[in-house]
Each structure stands twice: as structure tokens, then as C-alpha cells.
Amino acid sequence: MQAPCASRAALLFLPLAFLLIATILPMQARGETRLLWERVRVAPGETNTLRLDPPPETASLHLRFLHPIGTTIGSLEVPAAESIAVPAPPFEGGFILEVRDSAGELLGRTVQSVCASPEFDVRYGFATNFGGSWDQSARRAEMLVEANVNAIEFYDFFAAHGDYTPESQSYKFEPFGVHLDARNVKAKQDAFRAAGIHSYAYVAPYAAAQSVFRLLPDPITGDDGEPLVYGPDHVKTTREYDRAGKSDGKWFTIMAMHRGSRWHEHVLTEYRNLLAGEQTVLAPFDGMEVDTYGIEERPYRAQGWDKPGWTIGQVLHLFMADTRALADAATPRALLTSNCVNGTGMKELAPFVDWQFMEIWPWGARTIEEYAGMMEEAGKLRGQRVVAKSYPDKMVPKHDVWPAENLRLMMGTAMLTGGSFMVAGEPNPKTGKMHSLKTDYYGNNSPLDDERWRILCAYNRFDALLYRITHGENVRRSASVIRTPGLMTRTFAAGESGLAITLLRARPDQEWMAPAIAASDLQPAELRLQWRTPAPRAVRFGSPDQPEWEAFIDVPTRLEEDRLYITVPPFARFGCVLIQR
């Protein structure tokens, strides 16, 4: 969706007269009022509800809206109350809201991106628990709002691969016999939608459970003519699994998805029903994550297929084109993404997805530079948002959750490139803990402790603030290289007058699977870049590593001939410099 023209002028660093809204978890110091928003995402012109905890003991509240570059956007005086209705402006961007009492004392700050095009500002999470309890879905949504997660993948919510639209409320997932309840799924969908969180259905383009395969025996085959199946040893033929003595582990058959196959017609009908809310007791989904198994380079062989030499990836390309057309017909705002393992097939699928999603394994990218480069290349394809996911059990040694410093490193590496890193989902209201990915099977999630929860919230909050600065349809990646000892950098241009430099404290050759160690005895860093006069109007620095820097601060600069020198404070892991020409 094209952003309103006003947002292009407003976008990065220009003064505005419009009243602005911000959302989500507060940037607050100890003892400040918590500012909690009803919705994680608001479109231009929408009204959101801000809740203050504890309720303020003051006659009135003064709200001031700022751009990260420091420009005051507007202000509003309202009677003090526990909840306040705040209208959004008619344009997009990332903004800071300050709330002060009638005496001018700061109560707290909060931040969000006002977003009409949600595919450009994705912070992805997951839901994987669909048992019989559905009475605390609103609290689950509230916890996701606090974490600034605005899109959720529903993982294995269905009866079986190929049977995505359950018609009964209670059923078991094939092949593992896990009990599911459609009321749990629907309650989460409804609660997330009320909170502005998009719900994505996890589906596969070519996986069928055995019960579905028996009705539609139309598989892709290996060299020996035997069906390809997915199991604990990944994708092999049925004969290979039998020879290995693992016949019981043949979980899903890899199905023939070319146009004209029975599976093609069947599964696209299932997709349409998911998005339109038809032939199912579930609510409509807002989008789909069409998951692949990283086998796109294998030859495509199937009954009735007469084009030798094609790969599975080439046929998947045609299948995704059909899925895109179906999604556009089912609902005007259906969003699609596809998990491209280690970037496999990403170039081919980019025209059909709204944002890029990749599962990165150590055999695809070992170092931080390789990890960032893979995300960067994906983002360059069509200027789309890029979300990466990896798993802490692939660290050496293995971990159930990311160590705190590795969590900063992984989220910072993604944000260095203008992307996002998938960590959290499936909140537990009873324990108050957010759960995070552990392995590629989302059910193996682990709870986050308080330290990691704070890191997650701070980095996601800061990423929301960088909407239309380092990511968004208006943002261009710059080829400028700024070399600073001890820091990796990337440069972004947004609009005609804004420049952003992202900074990551990491060695490019560092392996992301290794334990990360926080730097000690940090010193201020100096950035040097080519610059023509006049001097910039403002230069500011922000970082999620310290609360006082999340709202951005002015930093020292000097201009000598054709070089601009910028001094940034000794931040721990990730930061961003904004320059207003």
C-alpha cells in the first residue's frame, strides 16, 4: 500500500505540525509510570487507548510527540485518567511519546511505528499451544504487545498437513496425537486481531500427512521412483527410510504441486478457506507462512509431469504465483511470506511474498558477517522487510535459550541490516513468562528470564522506532562504507534529507554459534564520513542497550574540510546515528 504523501515529507527528520501517536512498552526509568497500549499497531487516523499504571495522581497530563531526530511534532493537554484515547496522525513513521504530569514531571515514554503498510514493519513471533485452555487469550495478546511483536505464526494449529481447515472443535494433530481445540486457536486469533497483531497460518506447499496422502496418492518421487517423505532424517524416499529401519518415522509425504495435479487443487482450496474463514470453525487468518523444507534444488519428478530437468524450486515458483493470486482474490489484505532456508529460493519467491523470511543454519552462515550479508542480499531483492530465525540449540555448546549477550548480538545483527530477528511467542499468563524459540520445532520453546525479557522488549521497541529510517518502502540502502575499529556499520538513506548509520559491536569473523562476550572498558567511538558543507542541522545517537539512549541523544560533531567526525558514547552492542542535513 502506498503511504500518504505527507509521510514522505515527514518521514525522517523534518519538522511537522501534526499530532502523533506512539505505542507499546515504555522507555522508562525505575519508578516511572508504565505506559501500556491496547494495540501494538495503528494505521494512520486510528485511535488507540493508552493505559497508565499506576493511575496518575495529577489534574492533567501533557503529551509531547517527537521524532527520533529530536523534532517536536506536536503536543496535547488532556485530563488525567487511567486510560486515554489518542488519535493517530494521517501518516506513517516511528515516534516517541513523552507523558508529563501537570507540574511538568516526566511520567514515562513510549514508542511505536504508525503503520499503514504492516508488511514493512514486521516483528515476528509464534503460537504453538492449542490445547483446551483458551480463557486467557487477551492476556497473551497484552504480553505480545508489551514485547512489540506484531505478527504471530500459528504453528501446527491444524489436524494434519493438507487438512488445514478443521470443521470440529476438538481434534488431534497427525502424526503425533497432540490434542488441539479450535476454540483455543480462534480465541487467540480474535485477541490478537483486537491488539493489532496479525495472525499467520503455518502451512506447507508440498507436505501431506499419511491420511491425506491415502486420499490423494500423488507424490514427488526420488530417483528410484519411490515417494519422497519427510521425517526425523529430513527428506528421503520411503525405501531409504525402510532400509534405515525408520518406517514409523515417515511423517509427511512430499506432494506433486504442479498445475493439474490433485494436490494443487486440494491445497489451494484449503488456503483459500483459511484466508476467507470458510469451511472451518476457525476465524480467518490475516496471512500465511508457506513453509519449505530447503529441498528446492532437487529434481522434480511426479506422475503426469512431462518437463524433465525441472527442479522442485522451479515448480514451487509457479505454485507460489498461484498462491499469490488466490490470496489476493480471497481478501484484499492477505499477506504472504515463505521460509527460505538459508536463502534457498528467495530470489524466485520474492515477487510473490510481502516480506522475506529465512531460517539460517550454521552450514549456511557461520560468521556474523555472513549472517548479516545473507539478510542484506534478501533485502536488496525488492526492498522488502527481512526477518531471520535461528535456534540457540545450534550454539556450541547447546543452549535452551539465547544467552543474554548472544540475544543482543543476534537481534543487533538483524537490525544492522534493517531486518528483524524472530525470538519470542506463546506467552504463559500463569507464569508471566514469554517463551522463545529453542529448536526448529516450535513446540520445544523455553521461557525467557527477566533479563532476556528486558533485552527483547528494548530491542523490539527500538526497532519499531526505526520504521521508515532503516526499514520501510521509503528507505534506500547506501553503498557508503564507514570504517570504525571494533564496529560493523551500515548506512541508510530515507527521503531526501535523512541519513542513518547502524552500528554493531562485533567482529565480522565471529561465529554466531559461539558464546558472545560483552566488551569491557568501552570507550567512545568516532565515526568519520565524507561530508560537504553546510554542517548537519542535527546529529543524534540511540541504542536499546541503555534506557537513557532509547529516546536518542545529541552527540558531539565537528566538520573539518570534507569530513564529518561524530563521537558516539560507549554503547554495548547495537546503536544508530541519525543525521539531519
Side-chain angles (χ1 to χ4, degrees), residues 37-104:
W37 288 88
E38 185 175 74
R39 293 174 60 82
V40 66
R41 172 191 288 121
V42 287
E46 279 191 302
T47 295
N48 204 358
T49 300
L50 176 67
R51 179 165 60 87
L52 290 80
D53 180 25
E57 296 180 359
T58 180
S60 61
L61 296 172
H62 180 75
L63 281 61
R64 186 165 73 112
F65 306 89
L66 304 98
H67 190 278
I69 200 63
T71 305
T72 297
I73 305 300
S75 60
L76 180 68
E77 197 87 20
V78 297
E82 182 177 357
S83 297
I84 304 168
V86 184
F91 48 80
E92 301 180 278
F95 307 97
I96 300 164
L97 169 64
E98 288 186 351
V99 179
R100 297 181 182 272
D101 64 18
S102 54

Side-chain angles (χ1 to χ4, degrees), residues 458-506:
Y459 272 70
N460 275 349
R461 186 166 60 236
F462 198 76
D463 181 70
L465 190 58
L466 295 180
Y467 176 51
R468 298 188 67 82
I469 294 176
T470 65
H471 60 279
E473 60 182 336
N474 62 301
V475 174
R476 292 181 293 107
R477 300 167 189 271
S478 172
S480 301
V481 177
I482 300 172
R483 303 190 185 281
T484 302
L487 298 179
M488 297 173 63
T489 68
R490 296 293 190 273
T491 308
F492 301 85
E496 296 178 355
S497 61
L499 188 69
I501 305 169
T502 53
L503 313 169
L504 181 71
R505 192 176 299 282

Side-chain angles (χ1 to χ4, degrees), residues 74 117 272 281-282 405 415 546:
S117 304
R272 182 182 62 79
V281 295
L282 307 178
E405 203 55 39
M415 292 168 64
Q546 289 190 216

